[in-house]
């Protein structure tokens, strides 16, 4: 009976820790706090990065918006094999293949909807001629949603370095 | 007390007085407005540094033009007037808040008197014989703006904020006035230049011989300006933003400016009352008192002395302002009962004792024939140091302000009483069926 009542009491009341005055004193805590804020005021560890001027160095494996590699004469390296639209889990690559007089295949339409893309990098992995790459880039802002559909010209004019999906010097990482 | 030398500079003519006054009003008003704007920037900068951030740094060099951008934004923003609000009082409240804050600068002496070819110019806009009383009266008028804002908004949070502001200001006004009493005892005058002169004569700034009054004045100054840890009227976590919840654009900005103007006034006031005003320490070349008839008692006035003392005053005021900000970003807000406990149960009785003891000491010193000077000050210092020690000891024992620990005894007692009653009940009626 007595024990039960005590249990009930504990449930109803918040238990207070018995703290020594050294810890409970408002005065000392205030002085300590003021000293702390003062230390930070005169010697702030300025960790803020001034974003537009300074930027983080991206990892070489960062996967961002795509880059299409091109030949010296400006033709895209893509041979319209159709592997990347096939593997793309987000189904965001639209490819219409074409063939020229010599029988070389080339993409007539090649679009990537960067809004739907999940940046998995599988298109880069699967590409037999290393044409499409994900890039080391993260600043994506546009005024309309349509602008996020990158066509072939836009993909070829991207300036960012393309991603290294694995470390070439380390075969185990592949 | 040996007689001080007197310098005859000459009285300003009535026209000269008018012109000098207008110039002083214009300059002080402009400087105060700019300073207040800069204070908002300083606050943001200092808070940023304390939190290891950088603070505003995009507008102008190092963010210096940020107040301009803020002001412009506030003026251009849409003003919303709540439909339920009482229009007249709703519009009146921000003005009521800002006016007293802007008027109080008039009586604070900013520097030593300035000798000019036309006569002596006091470095205070209005050298009133009732300076301190005027200041107290006007700074407590500020609460009307807040209470009316809270009431006129027709918003429950605003109303609660206004009520809290009223209760808090009235409670701490008492402490403020009482801690001021010791200063007035010592100076025997309410004219602020005389207060400065009194400290120069004593050879000690009143912060030392009246240390405990200084401490109390400082604490109540925090409460009077509604700054953290006493910012209950605008407690964001409980009351959105309290009394100015419904205010937007420039009307809100006016409350904001009023708060900073109050901080500035109170800092100036504390510098004047307790840190010697424009007095430069360890130098007697600036110990002077300008009289209304154009004479100066004490050292010879000079233009460069005016400038130097002005600098000293700015430094002292700056110290208090930075302390305001330092405390603000250090301490969390009090609970409402803690504020009232501190004001009524601790500061009021303590101050009554302090005032009595200080008055007794001054009376004893006067009747013992001790000259007003360093010895006089040191005796007072000793008495005050003892009182301060006792007070800090009491505070340190956690009776008033600590958290759960201080209330543990109270709670244990309440529990024991409840158990006792319950057991009595059980004895009388048999144990209640517990399930
Ligand atoms: S990164 Fe993945 S989701 Fe994006 S286009 Fe390539 S395969 Fe599709
Ligand atoms: S996998 Fe490569 S070559 Fe094949 S369609 Fe895609 S980009 Fe072109």
């Amino acid at each position: 009976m007595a024990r039960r009542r005590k249990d009930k009491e504990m449930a109803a009341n918040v238990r207070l820790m018995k703290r020594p005055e050294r810890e409970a004193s408002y005065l000392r805590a205030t002085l300590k706090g003021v000293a702390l804020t003062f230390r930070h005021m005169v010697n702030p560890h300025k960790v803020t990065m001034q974003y537009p001027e300074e930027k983080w160095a991206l990892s070489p494996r960062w996967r961002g918006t795509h880059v299409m590699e091109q030949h010296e004469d400006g033709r895209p390296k893509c041979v319209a094999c159709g592997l990347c639209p096939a593997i793309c889990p987000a189904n965001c690559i639209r490819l219409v293949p074409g063939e020229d007089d010599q029988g070389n295949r080339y993409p007539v339409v090649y679009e990537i909807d960067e809004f739907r893309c999940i940046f998995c990098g599988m298109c880069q992995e699967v590409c037999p001629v290393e044409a499409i790459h994900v890039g080391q880039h993260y600043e994506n802002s546009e005024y309309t949603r349509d602008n996020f559909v990158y066509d072939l010209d836009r993909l070829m004019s991207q300036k960012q370095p393309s991603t290294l999906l694995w470390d070439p010097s380390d075969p185990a990482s592949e | 007390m040996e007689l001080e030398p007197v310098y005859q500079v000459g009285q300003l003519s009535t026209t000269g007085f008018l012109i000098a006054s207008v110039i002083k009003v214009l300059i002080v008003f402009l400087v105060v407005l700019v300073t207040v704007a800069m204070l908002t920037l300083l606050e943001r900068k200092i808070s940023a540094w304390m939190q290891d951030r950088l603070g505003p740094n995009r507008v102008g060099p190092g963010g210096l033009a940020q107040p301009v951008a803020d002001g412009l934004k506030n003026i251009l923003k849409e003003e919303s007037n709540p439909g339920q609000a009482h229009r007249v009082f709703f519009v009146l409240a921000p003005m009521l808040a800002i006016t007293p804050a802007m008027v109080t600068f008039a009586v604070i002496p900013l520097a030593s008197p300035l000798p000019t070819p036309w006569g002596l110019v006091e470095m205070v806009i209005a050298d009133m014989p009732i300076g301190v009383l005027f200041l107290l009266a006007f700074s407590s008028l500020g609460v009307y703006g807040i209470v009316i804002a809270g009431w006129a908004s027709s918003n429950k949070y605003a109303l609660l904020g206004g009520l809290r502001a009223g209760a808090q200001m009235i409670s701490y006004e008492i402490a403020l006035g009482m801690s001021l009493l010791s200063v007035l005892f010592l100076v025997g005058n309410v004219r602020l230049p005389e207060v400065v002169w009194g400290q120069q004569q004593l050879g000690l700034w009143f912060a030392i011989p009246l240390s405990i009054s200084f401490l109390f004045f400082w604490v109540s100054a925090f409460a009077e300006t509604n700054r953290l840890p006493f910012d209950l009227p605008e407690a964001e976590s409980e009351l959105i933003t309290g009394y100015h919840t419904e205010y937007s654009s420039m009307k809100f900005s006016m409350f904001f400016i009023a708060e900073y103007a109050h901080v500035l006034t109170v800092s100036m006031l504390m510098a004047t009352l307790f840190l010697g005003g424009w007095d430069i320490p360890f130098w007697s070349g600036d110990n002077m008192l300008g009289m209304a008839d154009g004479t100066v008692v004490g050292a010879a006035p000079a233009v460069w002395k005016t400038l130097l003392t002005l600098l000293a005053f700015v430094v002292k005021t700056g110290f208090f302002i930075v302390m305001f900000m330092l405390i603000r970003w250090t301490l969390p807000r009090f609970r409402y009962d803690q504020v009232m406990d501190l004001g009524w149960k601790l500061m009021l009785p303590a101050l009554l004792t302090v005032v009595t003891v200080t008055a007794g000491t001054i009376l004893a010193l006067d009747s013992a024939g001790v000259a007003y000077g360093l010895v006089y000050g040191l005796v007072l210092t000793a008495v005050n140091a003892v009182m301060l020690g006792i007070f800090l000891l009491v505070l340190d024992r956690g009776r008033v302000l600590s958290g759960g620990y201080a209330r543990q005894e109270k709670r244990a007692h309440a529990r024991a009483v409840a158990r006792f009653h319950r057991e009595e009940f059980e004895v009388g009626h048999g144990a209640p069926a517990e399930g």
Side-chain angles (χ1 to χ4, degrees):
Chain A
M1 176 74 200
R3 252 203 73 197
R4 262 166 73 196
R5 197 189 297 156
K6 197 170 171 214
D7 287 349
K8 271 182 104 176
E9 203 172 271
M10 271 170 57
N13 292 298
V14 178
R15 281 236 284 175
L16 296 171
M17 281 205 305
K18 221 183 182 68
R19 285 193 296 161
E21 259 151 29
R22 167 168 44 83
E23 289 171 22
S25 161
Y26 186 79
L27 197 67
R28 290 181 228 184
T30 304
L31 291 180
K32 227 187 276 175
V34 169
L36 182 75
T37 38
F38 184 76
R39 256 205 315 281
H40 279 259
M41 182 178 77
V42 293
N43 183 22
H45 340 139
K46 290 190 174 141
V47 290
T48 314
M49 182 162 278
Q50 292 294 300
Y51 161 61
E53 290 95 38
E54 297 168 47
K55 285 174 191 171
W56 290 105
L58 291 180
S59 153
R61 296 171 59 169
W62 174 277
R63 302 191 299 265
T65 41
H66 298 76
V67 183
M68 172 66 83
E69 297 292 324
Q70 45 193 308
H71 295 292
E72 282 86 57
D73 58 1
R75 284 181 300 118
K77 277 192 178 170
C78 173
V79 293
C81 68
L83 281 176
C84 60
I87 200 160
C88 178
N91 199 12
C92 62
I93 305 181
R94 191 167 84 91
L95 170 72
V96 176
E99 214 176 293
D100 65 10
D101 311 338
Q102 287 93 44
N104 296 329
R105 286 169 64 91
Y106 68 96
V108 178
V109 177
Y110 189 92
E111 283 175 359
I112 299 185
D113 186 346
E114 303 286 351
F115 241 5
R116 285 177 63 176
C117 172
I118 59 170
F119 301 106
C120 60
M122 266 156 46
C123 47
Q124 174 174 350
E125 278 190 55
V126 83
C127 181
V129 291
E130 309 213 329
I132 192 71
H133 289 84
V134 272
Q136 297 172 29
H137 180 251
Y138 56 88
E139 286 154 317
N140 304 308
S141 47
E142 296 285 352
Y143 285 102
T144 66
R145 299 177 74 92
D146 291 343
N147 284 357
F148 279 102
V149 180
Y150 287 14
D151 59 10
L152 195 56
D153 288 340
R154 184 138 179 221
L155 283 169
M156 285 199 294
S157 58
Q158 296 293 311
K159 293 284 177 293
Q160 68 266 27
S162 44
T163 303
L164 296 175
L165 282 184
W166 51 82
D167 183 356
S169 63
D170 178 11
S173 69
E174 188 172 337
Chain B
M1 204 193 306
E2 78 272 28
L3 270 182
E4 298 281 348
V6 173
Y7 293 87
Q8 192 68 42
V9 182
Q11 201 174 359
L12 285 176
S13 61
T14 314
T15 342
F17 177 77
L18 273 179
I19 293 173
S21 293
V22 168
I23 292 174
K24 279 190 287 187
V25 167
L26 284 181
I27 291 180
V28 171
F29 189 66
L30 270 180
V31 168
V32 162
L33 275 186
V34 171
T35 314
V36 166
M38 282 304 165
L39 280 188
T40 61
L41 176 67
L42 186 72
E43 168 104 65
R44 291 172 67 181
K45 273 287 189 191
I46 283 188
S47 66
W49 293 333
M50 283 174 189
Q51 298 161 1
D52 291 343
R53 295 181 287 115
L54 293 171
N57 62 351
R58 293 281 146 175
V59 195
L64 270 182
Q66 186 68 40
V68 183
D70 287 349
L72 215 63
K73 184 189 98 172
N74 270 323
I75 289 172
L76 294 178
K77 277 229 164 165
E78 183 191 352
E79 243 178 273
S80 61
N81 289 306
Q84 302 287 312
H86 192 298
R87 276 306 283 276
V88 178
F89 288 120
F90 189 73
V91 175
L92 195 64
M95 303 182 205
L96 276 180
I98 204 169
T99 319
M102 288 287 158
V103 169
T104 37
F105 296 103
V107 291
I108 294 176
L110 305 171
S112 64
L114 179 73
T116 60
W118 306 279
L120 188 71
V121 180
E122 283 270 18
M123 280 322 227
V124 40
I125 293 180
D127 185 11
M128 284 192 217
I130 52 157
V132 176
L133 302 182
F134 172 87
L135 238 158
L136 281 184
F138 263 86
S139 61
S140 41
L141 272 187
V143 72
Y144 284 97
I146 294 178
V147 172
I148 290 178
W151 176 77
S153 303
S154 255
N155 173 318
K156 49 184 177 267
Y157 298 111
L159 183 63
L160 281 174
L163 285 177
R164 279 183 178 191
Q168 178 179 315
M169 288 224 186
I170 288 166
S171 312
Y172 282 84
E173 198 93 302
I174 296 173
L176 197 78
M178 294 263 253
S179 40
L180 208 64
L181 273 186
S182 321
V183 175
L184 302 187
F185 285 156
L186 207 49
V187 181
N189 205 323
V190 287
R191 209 184 129 212
L192 280 168
E194 295 260 11
V195 175
V196 176
W197 175 241
Q199 304 185 52
Q200 292 168 338
Q201 289 295 294
L202 196 62
L204 284 174
W205 293 346
F206 287 163
I208 299 163
L210 300 176
S211 47
I212 187 151
S213 301
F214 175 52
L215 180 73
F216 281 130
F217 191 89
W218 206 347
V219 172
S220 20
F222 273 101
E224 284 292 304
T225 46
N226 290 328
R227 296 276 298 182
L228 266 162
F230 291 98
D231 73 334
L232 290 131
E234 41 187 300
E236 288 89 350
S237 48
E238 305 146 35
L239 299 180
I240 312 183
T241 51
Y243 61 90
H244 55 59
T245 302
E246 294 287 1
Y247 283 87
S248 52
S249 76
M250 207 54 206
K251 287 210 214 88
F252 161 74
S253 202
M254 271 157 91
F255 282 117
F256 204 67
I257 294 172
E259 181 184 323
Y260 281 92
H262 269 300
V263 168
L264 191 58
T265 324
V266 169
S267 302
M268 283 179 167
L269 189 59
M270 279 196 286
T272 307
L273 291 174
F274 292 103
L275 280 198
W278 42 261
D279 181 42
I280 298 172
F282 312 117
W283 185 48
S284 54
D286 62 337
N287 295 357
M288 59 183 101
L289 173 68
M291 292 294 187
D293 59 0
T295 53
V296 175
V297 186
V303 177
W304 58 274
K305 280 183 188 173
T306 303
L307 293 178
L308 265 186
T309 48
L310 184 65
L311 186 70
F313 186 72
V314 169
V315 169
K316 288 173 197 176
T317 309
F319 165 75
F320 280 112
I321 290 174
V322 171
M323 278 312 285
F324 262 106
M325 294 177 180
L326 202 63
I327 297 281
R328 168 169 184 184
W329 296 100
T330 304
L331 293 181
R333 184 181 303 128
F334 285 140
R335 261 192 341 255
Y336 193 65
D337 63 318
Q338 286 174 329
V339 170
M340 288 294 136
D341 270 7
L342 181 68
W344 292 103
K345 291 191 193 161
L346 186 78
M347 296 208 355
L348 183 60
L351 268 169
L352 283 172
T353 321
V354 168
V355 166
T356 319
V357 172
T358 312
T361 316
I362 290 175
L363 185 66
L365 282 171
D366 281 347
S367 29
V370 182
Y372 186 82
L374 202 56
V375 181
Y376 198 98
L378 288 179
V379 174
L380 269 175
T381 310
V383 172
N384 264 265
V386 171
M387 287 195 286
L388 187 68
I390 295 173
F391 174 73
L392 291 185
L393 211 65
V394 170
L395 195 65
D396 197 41
R397 300 274 299 160
R399 288 286 174 271
V400 185
L401 279 180
S402 49
Y405 180 74
R407 296 200 317 286
Q408 197 164 24
E409 275 172 32
K410 266 191 235 171
R411 283 181 180 225
H413 179 71
R415 257 202 307 265
V417 170
R419 190 175 303 129
F420 175 75
H421 284 303
R422 179 166 172 163
E423 266 155 20
E424 251 188 1
F425 179 82
E426 283 171 11
V427 168
H429 300 263
E434 273 192 56

